[in-house]
Amino acid sequence: MLVKFDIYFDGEFWCARGMGVDIFTQGTTLDELMQNIKDAVELHFEETIDAGEQITVVSLTELQVGSIAKISGC
């Protein structure tokens, strides 16, 4: 089974919204968010996983690109 997530930074947290599934989670870093996505998917699809089906997560991430001076506020 393939589960897709839209990932974005809301100014304070990294957020992940499931596409076609009712899952939403967030984290203070991308690494924390990815772990939270894994945990949320395992809980949401617990019965499916227990039945032996493997879940694959695909993420679409939005990033802003700009000069270092603009990003850091210098």
Side-chain angles (χ1 to χ4, degrees):
M1 174 183 289
L2 188 66
V3 180
K4 297 177 186 177
F5 283 88
D6 178 30
I7 295 176
Y8 59 94
F9 186 69
D10 73 357
E12 186 175 355
F13 295 101
W14 285 97
C15 304
R17 178 179 50 232
M19 300 168 70
V21 294
D22 291 331
I23 300 175
F24 180 87
T25 190
Q26 63 188 26
T28 54
T29 65
L30 271 174
D31 287 338
E32 180 181 349
L33 176 64
M34 295 311 259
Q35 183 60 52
N36 291 347
I37 290 171
K38 183 180 179 213
D39 294 344
V41 168
E42 287 175 348
L43 287 171
H44 188 82
F45 292 103
E46 186 173 14
E47 290 180 14
T48 303
I49 293 168
D50 288 346
E53 188 165 347
Q54 185 172 341
I55 308 290
T56 300
V57 173
V58 175
S59 62
L60 305 169
T61 306
E62 176 184 309
L63 298 173
Q64 288 187 343
V65 178
S67 73
I68 294 173
K70 287 183 181 179
I71 293 171
S72 66
C74 295

